[in-house]
Amino acid sequence: MNLTFAGDGRFWACAFLGLGLPVCLALAWVDLPGETPSALDAFVRLARIAAFLSLGVAALAVATRGRAALFALLCWPASLAAASGPDGLVLALAALAAALLSPRPMTGRYRPARLAGATLAIALVVLARPACAPLAGMLLVPFPPPGRLARTCRERLPLAALALLPALLPALSAASLGTPHPAGAGHGPMALPVPLPGFLSGLWAVALLVPLVALRRGPLPPRAERLWLSGGALLGLWLMVGAQALAPAGGPGGLQIRDLLPLAPMPILAFARGRIGTAAALRWPALLVVLAAALDAVALPMIALRL
């Protein structure tokens, strides 16, 4: 069964904006029971939500592969709960970087702009979360053919080094975007500030697992790229665990869900399949994540606001 849409990038972007906005707004205030945020606090939260949604829409619009997976990551309840804080910006920037680097092959008139945008996005993520430095490895994919290896290295390695540069500025990165250093010592909710109902948890499990089996059309990236990106994600996890282990005792800590989310775009980019043909076709298993997000958009605000 195929469901065809005119421009599936537009479909995913509009779905994310329409379904994510009510959840973000509701969860932004659920952790302030009995309190009324000041005008400045409200403005900051709304600005962060607007930035998260804007970056997410941009990521879904410019991606050429893995849109359903990126949509699921951005509409994951814990991601929407983090949208009103600095963690949401970090996640959205990481997703945007992966989307900008999704074309295979990386050619065309927009190639320099995509590389520059991805470099800037990764640099900002590394500035906020130094343990996410392995995200710079995304700038080296797709791997070039052997005949163009030297030229590609001359072009891409300086960009990767530029994206890694903020990791060498721990004092600055600790103050950037209002986020602490090291990773795992942040403020804000560890997961959802409200319990996710059992039927929604089950639906999300189905929405994430079924497409892995059902959406098997199109070629995977080469094995070397899959190993490279998966290894980068594992390296980022190891750096986060190490940073948490070296954190001062008694401080706010615990490796939290929001710390792991910015690493998710790496395996998404590693396993996103390419298109067959040029028609924009959306198969039904991908719509399961839209259904889960739609039910979240109704259920979670009602639970959060106790309606």
Side-chain angles (χ1 to χ4, degrees):
M1 175 181 178
N2 285 343
L3 301 176
T4 302
F5 295 85
D8 60 346
R10 185 183 308 165
F11 166 80
W12 287 112
C14 292
F16 169 66
L17 181 61
L19 299 177
L21 179 59
V23 180
C24 289
L25 292 176
L27 297 182
W29 274 265
V30 71
D31 58 337
L32 294 174
E35 298 182 19
T36 301
S38 66
L40 179 59
D41 290 338
F43 175 79
V44 170
R45 289 188 175 214
L46 290 175
R48 285 171 170 170
I49 290 173
F52 172 80
L53 293 174
S54 299
L55 291 170
V57 166
L60 294 169
V62 303
T64 61
R65 298 181 292 123
R67 282 196 178 105
L70 287 173
F71 176 89
L73 173 65
L74 293 168
C75 275
W76 185 255
S79 302
L80 297 178
S84 58
D87 301 299
L89 297 179
V90 173
L91 170 61
L93 284 168
L96 178 60
L100 288 168
L101 296 170
S102 59
R104 294 193 60 87
M106 181 69 75
T107 58
R109 56 183 295 190
Y110 297 112
R111 177 172 174 270
R114 282 181 174 268
L115 289 173
T119 302
L120 177 60
I122 293 173
L124 291 174
V125 172
V126 174
L127 184 65
R129 294 282 185 271
C132 291
L135 286 174
M138 293 194 300
L139 291 166
L140 302 180
V141 298
F143 290 162
R148 301 186 59 186
L149 181 60
R151 176 182 175 182
T152 302
C153 287
R154 288 195 302 268
E155 179 185 64
R156 302 283 190 90
L157 287 178
L159 295 178
L162 184 62
L164 285 173
L165 184 61
L168 305 178
L169 307 172
L172 179 59
S173 64
S176 66
L177 295 179
T179 55
H181 175 75
H187 300 286
M190 181 171 61
L192 273 177
V194 294
L196 192 64
F199 78 93
L200 280 179
S201 300
L203 179 59
W204 271 107
V206 172
L208 294 175
L209 294 177
V210 169
L212 292 177
V213 178
L215 298 178
R216 300 181 63 86
R217 299 197 315 176
L220 283 170
R223 179 178 298 180
E225 292 183 22
R226 284 178 275 158
L227 291 174
W228 172 259
L229 292 170
S230 300
L234 291 175
L235 175 60
L237 176 60
W238 180 80
L239 291 174
M240 289 183 180
V241 172
Q244 179 58 41
L246 296 174
L255 191 61
Q256 302 182 5
I257 292 176
R258 68 172 188 274
D259 296 319
L260 306 179
L261 292 177
L263 297 175
M266 296 190 77
I268 289 177
L269 190 61
F271 293 96
R273 293 179 179 269
R275 284 187 187 277
I276 295 180
T278 58
L282 182 63
R283 299 181 64 199
W284 69 265
L287 294 178
L288 289 174
V289 293
V290 181
L291 175 60
L295 292 180
D296 277 346
V298 175
L300 290 182
M302 294 180 64
I303 297 172
L305 301 176
R306 294 171 175 82
L307 297 178

